[in-house]
Amino acid sequence: MDPSVLVPAAIGISVHPIWPVALSIITFSIHLLLMNAVFGGAAIVFIHSLSGGTLISKNISRKLPTLLALAINAGVPPLLFLQAVYGQFSYVSSILMAVFWLAVIFVLISGYYGMYIHNYRYEKLGASGRKFLMLAVLAGISYIGFMLSNKMTLMLRPEIWAEYFNDPHGFVLNLSDPVLYPRFMHFAISALAVGGLFVALVGKRMNEQSFVDTGMKWFSRSTLVNILMGFWFLMALPKNVMLIFMGQDMLATILLCAGLAATFAMLHAGFTKNVCIATAATLFIVPVMAIMRHLVRMKYLEPYFTLDTAPVSGDWDPFILFVVSLIAGGFCVVYMLKLMLRAERS
């Protein structure tokens, strides 16, 4: 069967695709930083819970519910922009794996409650209770990440959408894709690095050197491992996609080189415990990786759809309304965070 016959007609958008794509990359970068801090922070809290709990696990667990709330809200815009531009692919992948995708909502709510219980009943839970609760939260976040990786890779492979005719009940996953596993591991290990950086930043603000030492240890070691995961991810890509990073596409090649340079800067900062440089390098590399992710998506879908062929209505009103709402909402979030930090200090 020709896979192109399975692809629905392109969904029309109001403005040129470059605008929602740019906003998608920006908002996804923010979401990724926050979500990585949640997953990595939860992993560090769990490891410290194995020994009964420490000052680090108690302090970081207090911040995880707020971080998760911010990460969830920051994750909505990039998903909506993805559906606006690539809806004919994104919606199909959601339908194919509908049961697993809908379960994400319940797992996310359960994990959110778990973080609150871990925080507010920290002493009552005891060492064993904290350990098993945080393990359950980590398992839930891992499930969400793995299902998200399934959805984002499944939408890129119309050639396997015919599986729907064998299983029309929403149980189709992209488990046969060799890219799925290194992609998921690359994101998961980078989350450990960002989680470590978050612990170090908390320690720097509190003037607690033990936090900085622990956080930068996680940051540097996870980054070192993630270099191997990154190369595995790159080698697992289809040859025509991988070659865009090998000189076939100048932008993609430059971004890969910039990412490698930033990675080595992160390693140096991690091993020398320079929190400021580590933060700057991380803030640089995340949007670089987000753009590379978009270029990979474009190359995958090139036989079926390009941004130049997307139907555009030219109606700017919805886009302008969103940008105004985004800016206003951003100011509100910053103001609320200031109030929260002021309350913590008092």
Side-chain angles (χ1 to χ4, degrees):
M1 178 185 292
D2 181 7
S4 61
V5 303
L6 299 174
V7 180
I11 300 174
I13 54 178
S14 59
V15 296
H16 192 280
I18 191 64
W19 294 104
V21 165
L23 283 172
S24 174
I25 290 170
I26 294 169
T27 53
F28 176 72
S29 299
I30 296 170
H31 166 70
L32 195 59
L33 284 167
L34 291 168
M35 200 65 232
N36 281 2
V38 171
F39 181 81
I44 294 171
V45 169
F46 169 69
I47 295 299
H48 281 251
S49 297
L50 295 177
S51 59
T54 64
L55 181 61
I56 290 177
S57 62
K58 187 173 183 178
N59 186 286
I60 298 302
S61 69
R62 198 179 302 146
K63 296 173 172 53
L64 290 179
T66 302
L67 271 180
L68 182 57
L70 291 171
I72 293 169
N73 283 277
V76 174
L79 188 60
L80 293 179
F81 285 126
L82 173 74
Q83 292 172 347
V85 180
Y86 294 102
Q88 66 271 36
F89 302 96
S90 177
Y91 285 121
V92 172
S93 65
S94 298
I95 292 169
L96 289 172
M97 54 175 292
V99 174
F100 300 105
W101 187 238
L102 289 174
V104 163
I105 300 171
F106 301 101
V107 174
L108 183 59
I109 293 172
S110 300
Y112 197 21
Y113 273 102
M115 286 183 177
Y116 268 110
I117 294 170
H118 187 276
N119 176 27
Y120 287 107
R121 297 184 177 271
Y122 189 87
E123 300 298 339
K124 290 184 179 180
L125 284 170
S128 59
R130 291 193 296 267
K131 177 174 60 179
F132 287 112
L133 179 57
M134 194 49 64
L135 178 61
V137 169
L138 268 179
I141 297 175
S142 299
Y143 172 85
I144 295 169
F146 189 65
M147 289 304 126
L148 190 60
S149 292
N150 264 280
K151 172 180 166 57
M152 294 304 172
T153 52
L154 189 58
M155 67 173 278
L156 304 179
R157 304 183 68 203
E159 67 272 13
I160 70 166
W161 290 358
E163 285 294 317
Y164 172 81
F165 300 108
N166 298 324
D167 183 4
H169 305 295
F171 289 97
V172 177
L173 290 176
N174 195 31
L175 301 179
S176 63
D177 190 351
V179 176
L180 173 64
Y181 304 100
R183 176 192 173 105
F184 171 69
M185 291 302 297
H186 187 54
F187 280 101
I189 295 174
S190 67
L192 299 179
V194 175
L197 180 60
F198 175 67
V199 172
L201 285 169
V202 171
K204 191 173 179 64
R205 180 171 175 269
M206 295 171 54
N207 200 24
E208 283 281 352
Q209 189 59 39
S210 61
F211 279 61
V212 175
D213 293 342
T214 299
M216 296 312 283
K217 186 183 295 183
W218 277 84
F219 179 78
S220 54
R221 293 179 180 180
S222 299
T223 302
L224 193 60
V225 174
N226 215 21
I227 293 175
L228 300 177
M229 292 297 109
F231 278 112
W232 180 21
F233 185 13
L234 182 64
M235 294 298 110
L237 291 170
K239 187 176 179 180
N240 66 315
V241 179
M242 181 186 67
L243 286 178
I244 68 173
F245 298 104
M246 302 293 135
Q248 195 176 84
D249 183 295
M250 190 53 63
L251 175 59
T253 305
I254 291 172
L255 288 172
L256 178 62
C257 294
L260 289 172
T263 301
F264 287 114
M266 291 166 65
L267 283 174
H268 180 267
F271 286 119
T272 58
K273 299 178 183 178
N274 192 321
V275 180
C276 294
I277 293 179
T279 303
T282 302
L283 291 176
F284 172 79
I285 199 172
V286 168
V288 167
M289 293 298 179
I291 297 172
M292 291 171 65
R293 174 176 175 264
H294 175 68
L295 295 178
V296 167
R297 180 185 295 140
M298 287 177 61
K299 191 64 179 178
Y300 260 102
L301 298 179
E302 200 173 53
Y304 314 104
F305 173 79
T306 63
L307 296 181
D308 295 332
T309 61
V312 178
S313 68
D315 182 7
W316 282 81
D317 291 346
F319 181 77
I320 293 172
L321 180 61
F322 173 81
V323 172
V324 171
S325 303
L326 180 65
I327 294 172
F331 277 115
C332 291
V333 170
V334 170
Y335 177 68
M336 287 188 292
L337 289 175
K338 281 185 177 180
L339 293 179
M340 183 187 72
L341 294 173
R342 189 183 302 166
E344 282 187 357
R345 284 195 297 268
S346 63

